[in-house]
Short mmCIF file of all heavy atoms in Angstrom, two decimals:
data_model
loop_
_atom_site.label_atom_id
_atom_site.label_comp_id
_atom_site.label_asym_id
_atom_site.label_seq_id
_atom_site.Cartn_x
_atom_site.Cartn_y
_atom_site.Cartn_z
N ILE Z 11 0.88 -1.19 -0.01
CA ILE Z 11 0.00 0.01 0.01
C ILE Z 11 0.87 1.23 0.03
O ILE Z 11 1.76 1.43 0.92
CB ILE Z 11 -0.87 -0.01 1.19
CG1 ILE Z 11 -1.77 -1.28 1.29
CG2 ILE Z 11 -1.76 1.27 1.29
CD1 ILE Z 11 -2.51 -1.44 2.52
N LYS Z 12 0.76 2.05 -1.02
CA LYS Z 12 1.55 3.25 -1.15
C LYS Z 12 1.18 4.26 0.00
O LYS Z 12 0.01 4.41 0.27
CB LYS Z 12 1.45 3.87 -2.51
CG LYS Z 12 2.07 2.98 -3.62
CD LYS Z 12 1.97 3.68 -4.95
CE LYS Z 12 2.64 2.83 -6.03
NZ LYS Z 12 2.56 3.54 -7.34
N ASN Z 13 2.15 4.97 0.52
CA ASN Z 13 1.91 6.03 1.50
C ASN Z 13 1.23 5.44 2.67
O ASN Z 13 0.27 6.11 3.24
CB ASN Z 13 1.15 7.19 0.90
CG ASN Z 13 1.87 7.77 -0.34
OD1 ASN Z 13 2.99 8.07 -0.31
ND2 ASN Z 13 1.13 7.88 -1.49
N LEU Z 14 1.57 4.25 3.07
CA LEU Z 14 0.81 3.54 4.10
C LEU Z 14 0.69 4.33 5.41
O LEU Z 14 -0.41 4.31 6.05
CB LEU Z 14 1.55 2.18 4.38
CG LEU Z 14 0.95 1.34 5.55
CD1 LEU Z 14 -0.50 1.03 5.20
CD2 LEU Z 14 1.72 0.07 5.72
N GLU Z 15 1.74 5.02 5.90
CA GLU Z 15 1.61 5.68 7.13
C GLU Z 15 0.60 6.82 7.12
O GLU Z 15 -0.09 7.04 8.07
CB GLU Z 15 2.98 6.23 7.58
CG GLU Z 15 3.47 7.54 6.92
CD GLU Z 15 3.98 7.33 5.51
OE1 GLU Z 15 3.91 6.24 4.93
OE2 GLU Z 15 4.43 8.32 4.96
N LEU Z 16 0.48 7.44 5.95
CA LEU Z 16 -0.56 8.48 5.82
C LEU Z 16 -1.93 7.92 5.67
O LEU Z 16 -2.93 8.48 6.26
CB LEU Z 16 -0.22 9.38 4.61
CG LEU Z 16 1.04 10.24 4.66
CD1 LEU Z 16 1.31 10.94 3.42
CD2 LEU Z 16 0.90 11.29 5.87
N VAL Z 17 -2.09 6.80 4.98
CA VAL Z 17 -3.36 6.17 4.87
C VAL Z 17 -3.83 5.73 6.23
O VAL Z 17 -4.99 5.95 6.65
CB VAL Z 17 -3.23 4.89 3.96
CG1 VAL Z 17 -4.55 4.10 3.98
CG2 VAL Z 17 -3.01 5.37 2.50
N GLN Z 18 -2.93 5.08 7.03
CA GLN Z 18 -3.23 4.64 8.38
C GLN Z 18 -3.67 5.85 9.29
O GLN Z 18 -4.69 5.72 10.01
CB GLN Z 18 -2.09 3.88 9.03
CG GLN Z 18 -1.85 2.57 8.32
CD GLN Z 18 -0.58 1.91 8.89
OE1 GLN Z 18 0.40 2.56 9.15
NE2 GLN Z 18 -0.68 0.59 9.12
N GLU Z 19 -2.93 6.91 9.22
CA GLU Z 19 -3.26 8.11 10.04
C GLU Z 19 -4.63 8.66 9.63
O GLU Z 19 -5.46 8.97 10.49
CB GLU Z 19 -2.20 9.16 9.91
CG GLU Z 19 -2.42 10.41 10.66
CD GLU Z 19 -2.56 10.29 12.18
OE1 GLU Z 19 -2.25 9.14 12.72
OE2 GLU Z 19 -2.89 11.26 12.88
N ALA Z 20 -4.86 8.84 8.35
CA ALA Z 20 -6.11 9.38 7.86
C ALA Z 20 -7.30 8.48 8.27
O ALA Z 20 -8.35 8.94 8.71
CB ALA Z 20 -6.13 9.58 6.37
N TYR Z 21 -7.14 7.18 8.14
CA TYR Z 21 -8.25 6.24 8.50
C TYR Z 21 -8.48 6.26 9.98
O TYR Z 21 -9.62 6.12 10.43
CB TYR Z 21 -7.88 4.87 7.96
CG TYR Z 21 -9.08 3.88 8.05
CD1 TYR Z 21 -10.28 4.22 7.46
CD2 TYR Z 21 -8.94 2.71 8.75
CE1 TYR Z 21 -11.35 3.36 7.57
CE2 TYR Z 21 -10.06 1.81 8.85
CZ TYR Z 21 -11.20 2.15 8.24
OH TYR Z 21 -12.30 1.32 8.34
N ARG Z 22 -7.44 6.34 10.74
CA ARG Z 22 -7.63 6.43 12.24
C ARG Z 22 -8.48 7.66 12.58
O ARG Z 22 -9.40 7.59 13.38
CB ARG Z 22 -6.25 6.51 12.91
CG ARG Z 22 -6.38 6.63 14.48
CD ARG Z 22 -5.03 6.87 15.08
NE ARG Z 22 -4.45 8.16 14.75
CZ ARG Z 22 -4.81 9.28 15.38
NH1 ARG Z 22 -5.74 9.24 16.33
NH2 ARG Z 22 -4.29 10.43 15.07
N LEU Z 23 -8.20 8.76 11.94
CA LEU Z 23 -8.96 9.97 12.21
C LEU Z 23 -10.37 9.85 11.74
O LEU Z 23 -11.31 10.38 12.37
CB LEU Z 23 -8.29 11.21 11.53
CG LEU Z 23 -6.85 11.58 12.11
CD1 LEU Z 23 -6.15 12.56 11.22
CD2 LEU Z 23 -7.03 12.13 13.52
N VAL Z 24 -10.58 9.15 10.60
CA VAL Z 24 -11.93 8.95 10.11
C VAL Z 24 -12.74 8.15 11.11
O VAL Z 24 -13.91 8.44 11.44
CB VAL Z 24 -11.90 8.28 8.71
CG1 VAL Z 24 -13.31 7.76 8.33
CG2 VAL Z 24 -11.38 9.23 7.65
N LYS Z 25 -12.16 7.04 11.60
CA LYS Z 25 -12.92 6.23 12.56
C LYS Z 25 -13.22 6.93 13.83
O LYS Z 25 -14.25 6.69 14.47
CB LYS Z 25 -12.03 4.90 12.87
CG LYS Z 25 -11.91 3.98 11.68
CD LYS Z 25 -11.39 2.63 12.10
CE LYS Z 25 -9.96 2.85 12.61
NZ LYS Z 25 -9.39 1.48 13.03
N GLU Z 26 -12.39 7.86 14.23
CA GLU Z 26 -12.66 8.68 15.46
C GLU Z 26 -13.78 9.73 15.24
O GLU Z 26 -14.24 10.28 16.18
CB GLU Z 26 -11.38 9.33 15.92
CG GLU Z 26 -10.34 8.41 16.43
CD GLU Z 26 -9.03 9.13 16.78
OE1 GLU Z 26 -8.94 10.37 16.51
OE2 GLU Z 26 -8.13 8.55 17.38
N ARG Z 27 -14.15 9.89 13.96
CA ARG Z 27 -15.12 10.91 13.59
C ARG Z 27 -16.23 10.28 12.80
O ARG Z 27 -16.32 10.51 11.57
CB ARG Z 27 -14.45 12.06 12.81
CG ARG Z 27 -13.45 12.84 13.66
CD ARG Z 27 -12.37 13.52 12.87
NE ARG Z 27 -11.54 14.33 13.70
CZ ARG Z 27 -10.56 13.89 14.45
NH1 ARG Z 27 -10.33 12.56 14.50
NH2 ARG Z 27 -9.82 14.67 15.19
N PRO Z 28 -17.10 9.49 13.39
CA PRO Z 28 -18.05 8.67 12.69
C PRO Z 28 -19.12 9.49 11.94
O PRO Z 28 -19.78 8.97 11.05
CB PRO Z 28 -18.72 7.82 13.77
CG PRO Z 28 -18.52 8.55 15.05
CD PRO Z 28 -17.15 9.25 14.88
N ARG Z 29 -19.29 10.76 12.24
CA ARG Z 29 -20.28 11.60 11.64
C ARG Z 29 -19.76 12.40 10.45
O ARG Z 29 -20.46 13.17 9.79
CB ARG Z 29 -20.94 12.51 12.61
CG ARG Z 29 -21.53 11.78 13.81
CD ARG Z 29 -22.22 12.72 14.77
NE ARG Z 29 -23.43 13.27 14.26
CZ ARG Z 29 -24.17 14.22 14.86
NH1 ARG Z 29 -23.74 14.75 15.96
NH2 ARG Z 29 -25.26 14.63 14.34
N VAL Z 30 -18.54 12.21 10.08
CA VAL Z 30 -17.84 12.86 8.97
C VAL Z 30 -18.15 12.13 7.75
O VAL Z 30 -18.10 10.87 7.66
CB VAL Z 30 -16.30 12.99 9.20
CG1 VAL Z 30 -15.62 13.27 7.93
CG2 VAL Z 30 -16.01 14.11 10.21
N GLN Z 31 -18.43 12.82 6.65
CA GLN Z 31 -18.64 12.28 5.34
C GLN Z 31 -17.45 12.78 4.44
O GLN Z 31 -17.07 14.00 4.50
CB GLN Z 31 -19.90 12.66 4.66
CG GLN Z 31 -21.14 12.20 5.34
CD GLN Z 31 -22.37 12.63 4.61
OE1 GLN Z 31 -22.60 12.23 3.50
NE2 GLN Z 31 -23.25 13.40 5.29
N ILE Z 32 -16.87 11.90 3.66
CA ILE Z 32 -15.79 12.34 2.71
C ILE Z 32 -16.30 12.22 1.29
O ILE Z 32 -16.67 11.15 0.88
CB ILE Z 32 -14.51 11.46 2.93
CG1 ILE Z 32 -13.97 11.68 4.35
CG2 ILE Z 32 -13.44 11.79 1.89
CD1 ILE Z 32 -12.81 10.81 4.73
N LYS Z 33 -16.34 13.34 0.62
CA LYS Z 33 -16.94 13.36 -0.68
C LYS Z 33 -16.00 13.97 -1.68
O LYS Z 33 -15.16 14.80 -1.39
CB LYS Z 33 -18.18 14.20 -0.67
CG LYS Z 33 -19.36 13.65 0.13
CD LYS Z 33 -20.62 14.40 0.01
CE LYS Z 33 -21.82 13.77 0.75
NZ LYS Z 33 -23.01 14.58 0.56
N TRP Z 34 -16.15 13.50 -2.95
CA TRP Z 34 -15.37 13.98 -4.06
C TRP Z 34 -15.95 15.25 -4.60
O TRP Z 34 -17.19 15.35 -4.68
CB TRP Z 34 -15.24 12.91 -5.14
CG TRP Z 34 -14.48 13.39 -6.35
CD1 TRP Z 34 -13.10 13.50 -6.45
CD2 TRP Z 34 -15.02 13.84 -7.60
NE1 TRP Z 34 -12.76 13.92 -7.69
CE2 TRP Z 34 -13.88 14.13 -8.42
CE3 TRP Z 34 -16.31 13.87 -8.12
CZ2 TRP Z 34 -14.07 14.58 -9.75
CZ3 TRP Z 34 -16.42 14.33 -9.44
CH2 TRP Z 34 -15.39 14.69 -10.25
N ILE Z 35 -15.16 16.23 -4.97
CA ILE Z 35 -15.58 17.42 -5.65
C ILE Z 35 -14.69 17.65 -6.84
O ILE Z 35 -13.51 17.40 -6.86
CB ILE Z 35 -15.51 18.62 -4.64
CG1 ILE Z 35 -16.30 19.79 -5.14
CG2 ILE Z 35 -14.06 18.95 -4.33
CD1 ILE Z 35 -16.42 20.96 -4.12
N PRO Z 36 -15.25 18.02 -7.98
CA PRO Z 36 -14.41 18.20 -9.16
C PRO Z 36 -13.39 19.28 -8.98
O PRO Z 36 -13.65 20.33 -8.46
CB PRO Z 36 -15.48 18.59 -10.27
CG PRO Z 36 -16.79 18.21 -9.73
CD PRO Z 36 -16.68 18.29 -8.29
N ALA Z 37 -12.16 19.03 -9.47
CA ALA Z 37 -11.06 19.96 -9.43
C ALA Z 37 -11.36 21.11 -10.39
O ALA Z 37 -11.86 20.92 -11.48
CB ALA Z 37 -9.78 19.30 -9.81
N HIS Z 38 -11.06 22.34 -9.98
CA HIS Z 38 -11.20 23.57 -10.75
C HIS Z 38 -12.56 23.64 -11.47
O HIS Z 38 -12.66 23.92 -12.65
CB HIS Z 38 -10.05 23.53 -11.83
CG HIS Z 38 -8.72 23.60 -11.25
ND1 HIS Z 38 -8.35 24.58 -10.29
CD2 HIS Z 38 -7.64 22.77 -11.32
CE1 HIS Z 38 -7.04 24.37 -9.93
NE2 HIS Z 38 -6.67 23.28 -10.46
N SER Z 39 -13.60 23.45 -10.66
CA SER Z 39 -14.94 23.55 -11.18
C SER Z 39 -15.51 24.93 -10.87
O SER Z 39 -16.69 25.23 -11.14
CB SER Z 39 -15.86 22.50 -10.53
OG SER Z 39 -15.73 22.56 -9.16
N GLY Z 40 -14.70 25.78 -10.26
CA GLY Z 40 -15.15 27.11 -9.92
C GLY Z 40 -15.79 27.21 -8.55
O GLY Z 40 -16.37 28.27 -8.18
N TYR Z 41 -15.67 26.14 -7.76
CA TYR Z 41 -16.21 26.19 -6.37
C TYR Z 41 -15.22 26.90 -5.47
O TYR Z 41 -14.03 26.54 -5.42
CB TYR Z 41 -16.45 24.74 -5.83
CG TYR Z 41 -17.53 24.04 -6.55
CD1 TYR Z 41 -17.59 22.61 -6.62
CD2 TYR Z 41 -18.59 24.71 -7.22
CE1 TYR Z 41 -18.62 21.94 -7.24
CE2 TYR Z 41 -19.59 24.03 -7.88
CZ TYR Z 41 -19.58 22.68 -7.88
OH TYR Z 41 -20.63 21.98 -8.54
N ARG Z 42 -15.71 27.89 -4.82
CA ARG Z 42 -14.89 28.84 -4.07
C ARG Z 42 -13.86 28.17 -3.15
O ARG Z 42 -12.67 28.45 -3.20
CB ARG Z 42 -15.73 29.83 -3.34
CG ARG Z 42 -14.87 30.91 -2.62
CD ARG Z 42 -15.77 31.91 -1.87
NE ARG Z 42 -15.33 33.23 -2.01
CZ ARG Z 42 -15.83 34.28 -1.38
NH1 ARG Z 42 -16.75 34.13 -0.46
NH2 ARG Z 42 -15.37 35.48 -1.59
N TRP Z 43 -14.36 27.28 -2.28
CA TRP Z 43 -13.48 26.77 -1.26
C TRP Z 43 -12.61 25.67 -1.71
O TRP Z 43 -11.53 25.41 -1.15
CB TRP Z 43 -14.34 26.42 -0.02
CG TRP Z 43 -14.96 27.68 0.50
CD1 TRP Z 43 -16.33 27.96 0.46
CD2 TRP Z 43 -14.35 28.79 1.08
NE1 TRP Z 43 -16.48 29.22 1.03
CE2 TRP Z 43 -15.35 29.76 1.40
CE3 TRP Z 43 -13.05 29.11 1.39
CZ2 TRP Z 43 -15.07 30.99 1.97
CZ3 TRP Z 43 -12.74 30.40 1.96
CH2 TRP Z 43 -13.75 31.27 2.24
N ASN Z 44 -12.95 24.97 -2.78
CA ASN Z 44 -12.03 24.06 -3.38
C ASN Z 44 -10.92 24.79 -4.00
O ASN Z 44 -9.76 24.43 -3.98
CB ASN Z 44 -12.79 23.22 -4.46
CG ASN Z 44 -11.85 22.30 -5.18
OD1 ASN Z 44 -11.64 22.48 -6.38
ND2 ASN Z 44 -11.29 21.30 -4.50
N GLU Z 45 -11.17 25.93 -4.74
CA GLU Z 45 -10.14 26.76 -5.26
C GLU Z 45 -9.23 27.32 -4.19
O GLU Z 45 -8.08 27.48 -4.30
CB GLU Z 45 -10.78 27.90 -6.08
CG GLU Z 45 -11.67 27.44 -7.25
CD GLU Z 45 -10.86 26.81 -8.42
OE1 GLU Z 45 -9.60 26.94 -8.40
OE2 GLU Z 45 -11.55 26.34 -9.34
N TYR Z 46 -9.89 27.67 -3.07
CA TYR Z 46 -9.11 28.23 -1.91
C TYR Z 46 -8.13 27.18 -1.36
O TYR Z 46 -6.94 27.52 -1.10
CB TYR Z 46 -10.07 28.66 -0.78
CG TYR Z 46 -9.40 29.50 0.26
CD1 TYR Z 46 -9.47 30.92 0.15
CD2 TYR Z 46 -8.84 28.95 1.32
CE1 TYR Z 46 -8.91 31.67 1.19
CE2 TYR Z 46 -8.28 29.71 2.36
CZ TYR Z 46 -8.33 31.12 2.24
OH TYR Z 46 -7.74 31.88 3.23
N ALA Z 47 -8.59 25.92 -1.23
CA ALA Z 47 -7.67 24.85 -0.76
C ALA Z 47 -6.53 24.67 -1.81
O ALA Z 47 -5.38 24.44 -1.44
CB ALA Z 47 -8.46 23.57 -0.60
N ASP Z 48 -6.90 24.76 -3.09
CA ASP Z 48 -5.83 24.65 -4.09
C ASP Z 48 -4.81 25.76 -3.95
O ASP Z 48 -3.59 25.57 -4.12
CB ASP Z 48 -6.47 24.68 -5.54
CG ASP Z 48 -5.47 24.73 -6.64
OD1 ASP Z 48 -4.98 23.57 -6.94
OD2 ASP Z 48 -5.10 25.79 -7.14
N ALA Z 49 -5.29 27.01 -3.69
CA ALA Z 49 -4.38 28.14 -3.48
C ALA Z 49 -3.47 27.88 -2.28
O ALA Z 49 -2.31 28.30 -2.34
CB ALA Z 49 -5.12 29.45 -3.35
N LEU Z 50 -3.97 27.31 -1.25
CA LEU Z 50 -3.15 26.99 -0.13
C LEU Z 50 -2.12 25.91 -0.47
O LEU Z 50 -0.95 26.02 -0.11
CB LEU Z 50 -4.03 26.42 1.05
CG LEU Z 50 -4.93 27.39 1.79
CD1 LEU Z 50 -5.87 26.63 2.71
CD2 LEU Z 50 -4.13 28.43 2.60
N ALA Z 51 -2.51 24.91 -1.25
CA ALA Z 51 -1.64 23.84 -1.61
C ALA Z 51 -0.56 24.32 -2.54
O ALA Z 51 0.56 23.75 -2.51
CB ALA Z 51 -2.44 22.68 -2.27
N THR Z 52 -0.81 25.27 -3.41
CA THR Z 52 0.15 25.72 -4.40
C THR Z 52 0.93 26.97 -3.93
O THR Z 52 1.71 27.54 -4.67
CB THR Z 52 -0.51 26.04 -5.73
OG1 THR Z 52 -1.54 27.04 -5.56
CG2 THR Z 52 -1.16 24.79 -6.30
N ALA Z 53 0.74 27.37 -2.68
CA ALA Z 53 1.44 28.56 -2.14
C ALA Z 53 2.98 28.41 -2.27
O ALA Z 53 3.64 29.39 -2.47
CB ALA Z 53 1.08 28.83 -0.73
#
């Protein structure tokens, strides 16, 4: 499993937060906060 330590950490956090939903959103679809996250990532 690639990036195993990150997968394990993310999944641990997911299990601790049973009311969280993880959903896909199209990249560069013009959604404000997806674009904002992209701007943080490319800073």
Side-chain angles (χ1 to χ4, degrees):
I11 300 168
K12 293 183 178 180
N13 304 309
L14 177 58
E15 79 284 4
L16 291 175
V17 171
Q18 290 174 321
E19 176 64 7
Y21 189 56
R22 180 186 67 80
L23 293 169
V24 167
K25 290 192 298 180
E26 291 176 352
R27 294 156 176 78
R29 303 182 71 187
V30 161
Q31 297 181 62
I32 298 175
K33 293 186 177 181
W34 178 77
I35 194 169
H38 299 303
S39 56
Y41 292 155
R42 183 180 223 189
W43 298 111
N44 175 248
E45 300 288 352
Y46 193 93
D48 176 80
L50 289 170
T52 57

